[in-house]
Amino acid sequence: MSAVLRVRDLTVSFPGRGSAGAVTAVDGVSFDLARGEVLGLVGESGSGKSTVGLAAMGLHDAARTRVSGSVRVGGTEVVGAPESEVRALRGARIAMVFQDALAALSPFHGVGEQLAEAFRIHHAGASRHEARDAAVSMLERVGIPAARARDHPHQFSGGMRQRVMIAMALINAPDVLVADEPTTALDARVQRQVLELLEELRQESGTAVVLVTHDVGVVAGTCDRMLVMRGGRVVEEGPTARLMTAAEHPYTRALIGATPSMDSVPGTRLATVDGVPAAARWDAPARPAGTRTLAEVVDLRVEFPGRRRGVFGRHEPVRAVRGVSLRVAAGETLALVGESGSGKSTTARVLAGLRRPTGGEVRFDGRDISRAAVDARLRREIGREVQLVFQDPYASLNPRRTIEEIVGTPLRVHTALDAGERRERVAGLLRQVGLDPAHLGRYPHEFSGGQRQRVGIARALASRPRLIIADEPVSALDVSVQAQVLNLLMDLREELGLSLLFVSHDLAVVRHLCDRVAVMRAGTIVESGPRDEVFDDPKAPYTRELLAAAM
C-alpha cells in the first residue's frame, strides 16, 4: 500500500549550551506508514520519539532546531517547506493529539468554539453555522453531548478532555494522526475508552495513527507494528506480535520485561534497562503482614465548597469522600485504587495530616490525628511518623535547593543533629536509594526523572517514618524507571519493615506490589480485601469493570 507518511533519514538536533556541542535528538530515523495502519513509536523519555512526532507535524522552530532528511505527508515534503505550506497540512492532512489536553486547549473558550475554529481554518467558505454544526457533530461522535459544547475545558474530566482533543484532531478527516502519549495520565478504564475510540474512528475513516508512548502494554493491544527507539535511533522494528514474544534487541526485551502485567508473578524483581537482574523475588502471596493496626480512618467524610445554586442560592458542597473506613496494618502494603476523582488522594492526604476531615475519625497508632492539618504541633509530631512520596518528581522537589538541603530538611525539622551529622545521614540515605553521595551538591534538574523520584523517597525516609504514603509514585515514569522505583520500594519495605499506603490507578502495579486492596468509587469503598481475593474473585461490578479494562 502507498504510504501516507514517509520518513527518510530524519535527523533533528538542538544547539548546545555554552561550550557544549549540538545535541542530536533524532539520528537517521526512517519508516513508512500505510493508510489505516497503527504504528507504535516506543522508547523511554529522551529516546527521540516525541521529537519524531513533532517533526512530522513541522512544529520544530527552524531558528532553534536543525532538521534534515525527509518527511513526506501524502507526497508533500515537510522538511524545509515554507511555513505557509506546512500550516496548510496541519489539521487537514496530519493532526496531533497531545498528552496534556488541559494545557493544549484554550481555557478561555468553549470546546465547541475551539472545534469550530479548527474546522473554519481549513474550510474557508464555511459559515459559522456550518462550522458549529460540524463541531457539535464531532463532539457527539466522540461521546460528548451537544449540550456541553459551550462548556470550558476545566469543566470536563481528564478522559473527556482527551476526547475533545481527539475530536479537534479528526474534525478535518486527516490522513495521519500523531497521538503523543494520549493515555499516560488516564485511569485504566478511561484509557481503554480512549483507545477504543481511536480504533473505531480509524476503522471508519482509514486514518493512519502514529502512537507515541513508553507503555509497551498499550502498544501490544493497539498497534500493528512497533518501532523501538533509544538515544535517537531505531534499535528494532517489526510486527507488534513478533516483537512482544520474540524481540531480538536486548533493549526491546528489557522494556517488555520491565512492565508488570496482570499475569506476572507478584513480588518478582522487575527487569530494568540498566541490567539489574530479574531473578530475585519475594514470596509475595505468602508475605506476612502485621495484625496490629497502625493507621486507620473510620466513617471518613470530606467535603469541599461547591458552586452557588442560583443568584441567592446556597453553596452545594462537593462530597469528595463519603463514609470511608480503612486500616493499614503494621508492615503491610495497602493499595487504594480507583479512577481520577474517586477520592483516593483526598483520603491519603487526610491520613497524612494535610487535610482536615469534615467528619469521621482519623487515627495513627491509636492516637486521634484528625486535627493535624490545623494544629501545627500535632502535624509536626505526625510528620516524623508519616511521610509522603508524590507523583511528580519534577514538581515535588524545590529547584532552588541542593539534594543535600532537600533530603536533609526532615532531619533539620525532626532531629537535633548538627550540620555534619545531617550531611552524613543524608549521604547514607542516598546510598540506600541507589544514588551517589558525591552528588549532594547537585540540583534536581541535573537528575533524571527516576533519580529525582529516588531523591523524593530518600527525603521520605529521612525521619525514619513508620508509614509512607505513596501517591501515584510511578505513573509519570518510563517503564524501566518505574521498574527501578518499584524494586527499590520492595527492597526498602523488606529491609525497614515499612508500612505503605500505595495510591494508584495502575492495577498491574498494584497486583505486583501490594498485600491488600481497597477499591474506591465516587468517594466510597466498593470493595476491599487481600490482593489475590480481590483480583481473582472480585465481588463488586465496578471492580470487575476495572480489572477487565486492565487485561
Side-chain angles (χ1 to χ4, degrees):
M1 298 176 63
S2 60
V4 291
L5 174 64
R6 176 163 291 171
V7 177
R8 289 290 180 273
D9 197 30
L10 175 65
T11 299
V12 182
S13 58
F14 305 102
R17 295 182 179 180
S19 60
V23 176
T24 300
V26 174
D27 189 1
V29 169
S30 300
F31 64 88
D32 287 346
L33 184 68
R35 180 172 177 79
E37 183 182 25
V38 182
L39 173 68
L41 205 55
V42 184
E44 298 176 282
S45 296
S47 64
K49 58 187 188 298
S50 292
T51 305
V52 171
L54 293 172
M57 291 284 295
L59 288 174
H60 288 296
D61 184 353
R64 301 181 180 181
T65 311
R66 182 178 178 182
V67 182
S68 62
S70 174
V71 177
R72 301 184 72 86
V73 178
T76 301
E77 180 61 57
V78 173
V79 177
E83 176 60 23
S84 58
E85 292 184 14
V86 178
R87 192 181 300 120
L89 284 176
R90 294 189 203 119
R93 304 293 299 276
I94 183 170
M96 194 163 191
V97 176
F98 296 92
Q99 176 179 351
D100 189 348
L102 191 59
L105 295 168
S106 168
F108 304 110
H109 302 89
V111 297
E113 183 181 353
Q114 295 185 57
L115 262 72
E117 180 184 12
F119 182 82
R120 286 199 302 271
I121 288 173
H122 297 286
H123 295 79
S127 67
R128 288 187 175 273
H129 179 75
E130 290 171 330
R132 186 167 56 249
D133 285 349
V136 169
S137 176
M138 197 66 217
L139 286 174
E140 290 180 327
R141 180 64 195 87
V142 299
I144 296 178
R148 301 208 59 182
R150 294 181 180 273
D151 287 356
H152 290 66
H154 73 273
Q155 296 174 278
F156 292 89
S157 68
M160 293 186 75
R161 281 196 293 266
Q162 202 62 289
R163 288 171 178 267
V164 172
M165 282 293 300
I166 293 171
M168 182 177 293
L170 295 178
I171 194 167
N172 294 302
D175 296 324
V176 180
L177 179 67
V178 179
D180 190 1
E181 300 278 10
T183 62
T184 296
L186 303 179
D187 304 315
R189 193 172 70 142
V190 179
Q191 180 185 86
R192 170 167 281 195
Q193 292 171 358
V194 170
L195 292 174
E196 287 177 347
L197 173 62
L198 282 174
E199 174 62 18
E200 290 173 11
L201 296 172
R202 178 183 72 90
Q203 290 184 0
E204 288 182 8
S205 62
T207 299
V209 179
V210 178
L211 181 61
V212 179
T213 183
H214 66 256
D215 192 331
V216 178
V218 168
V219 171
T222 58
C223 297
D224 304 307
R225 285 193 303 126
M226 185 171 164
L227 188 147
V228 183
M229 292 188 66
R230 188 182 195 188
R233 296 183 177 182
V234 176
V235 299
E236 190 166 8
E237 63 178 309
T240 301
R242 178 175 65 79
L243 265 60
M244 291 298 296
T245 57
E248 296 178 0
H249 199 282
Y251 179 71
T252 307
R253 294 197 299 269
L255 283 182
I256 295 170
T259 308
S261 72
M262 300 299 285
D263 298 322
S264 59
V265 178
T268 304
R269 192 173 183 83
L270 297 166
T272 59
V273 169
D274 60 8
V276 175
R281 69 177 59 188
W282 297 271
D283 187 11
R287 207 184 76 86
T291 57
R292 182 176 64 84
T293 297
L294 180 64
E296 66 178 334
V297 296
V298 180
D299 193 28
L300 177 67
R301 300 183 302 281
V302 181
E303 297 178 354
F304 302 121
R307 295 181 179 179
R308 186 181 297 276
R309 297 281 183 163
V311 178
F312 301 105
R314 296 189 303 176
H315 284 288
E316 293 290 339
V318 175
R319 295 177 174 85
V321 180
R322 311 179 182 197
V324 163
S325 297
L326 58 83
R327 59 182 287 274
V328 183
E332 86 165 343
T333 300
L334 172 68
L336 195 55
V337 305
E339 297 176 292
S340 299
S342 62
K344 57 187 188 296
S345 290
T346 300
T347 300
R349 291 178 68 83
V350 169
L351 199 50
L354 297 179
R355 179 171 291 282
R356 187 178 184 182
T358 306
E361 302 176 30
V362 187
R363 292 192 287 265
F364 181 82
D365 203 15
R367 182 183 184 184
D368 181 4
I369 62 168
S370 57
R371 288 185 53 81
V374 294
D375 184 330
R377 181 178 178 181
L378 177 58
R379 173 71 194 97
R380 179 169 176 160
E381 293 173 1
I382 295 303
R384 179 162 190 163
E385 304 282 358
V386 182
Q387 284 288 315
L388 287 94
V389 177
F390 297 94
Q391 174 178 357
D392 190 345
Y394 300 87
S396 61
L397 303 178
N398 189 331
R400 295 182 176 86
R401 301 288 185 183
T402 66
I403 299 306
E404 180 179 0
E405 292 171 324
I406 290 169
V407 177
T409 295
L411 298 174
R412 190 174 65 253
V413 173
H414 296 297
T415 73
L417 298 175
D418 61 32
E421 292 171 324
R422 284 200 303 270
R423 184 180 180 84
E424 184 176 346
R425 178 80 67 84
V426 170
L429 286 164
L430 291 186
R431 291 190 193 96
Q432 196 168 27
V433 300
L435 295 175
D436 189 344
H439 298 160
L440 284 171
R442 291 189 176 184
Y443 290 84
H445 73 272
E446 298 179 80
F447 292 85
S448 69
Q451 289 174 322
R452 277 191 285 260
Q453 197 61 297
R454 287 171 181 262
V455 172
I457 293 172
R459 178 178 59 185
L461 292 173
S463 63
R464 296 178 178 172
R466 287 188 285 167
L467 173 66
I468 285 184
I469 297 174
D471 191 358
E472 300 277 10
V474 297
S475 64
L477 304 177
D478 297 324
V479 288
S480 65
V481 179
Q482 172 184 278
Q484 295 171 10
V485 173
L486 290 175
N487 287 342
L488 174 62
L489 287 174
M490 289 190 289
D491 286 341
L492 294 172
R493 181 182 64 184
E494 302 302 317
E495 178 186 342
L496 304 176
L498 290 171
S499 299
L500 291 175
L501 177 61
F502 192 83
V503 180
S504 180
H505 66 257
D506 191 327
L507 297 185
V509 168
V510 164
R511 181 178 177 274
H512 195 82
L513 181 68
C514 301
D515 304 309
R516 288 195 305 118
V517 180
V519 183
M520 288 195 72
R521 187 183 193 187
T524 64
I525 300 290
V526 299
E527 185 166 2
S528 65
R531 179 200 60 225
D532 291 344
E533 182 180 305
V534 171
F535 277 78
D536 297 342
D537 187 24
K539 302 297 190 298
Y542 178 68
T543 306
R544 292 196 292 269
E545 190 176 351
L546 286 181
L547 289 169
M551 296 297 184

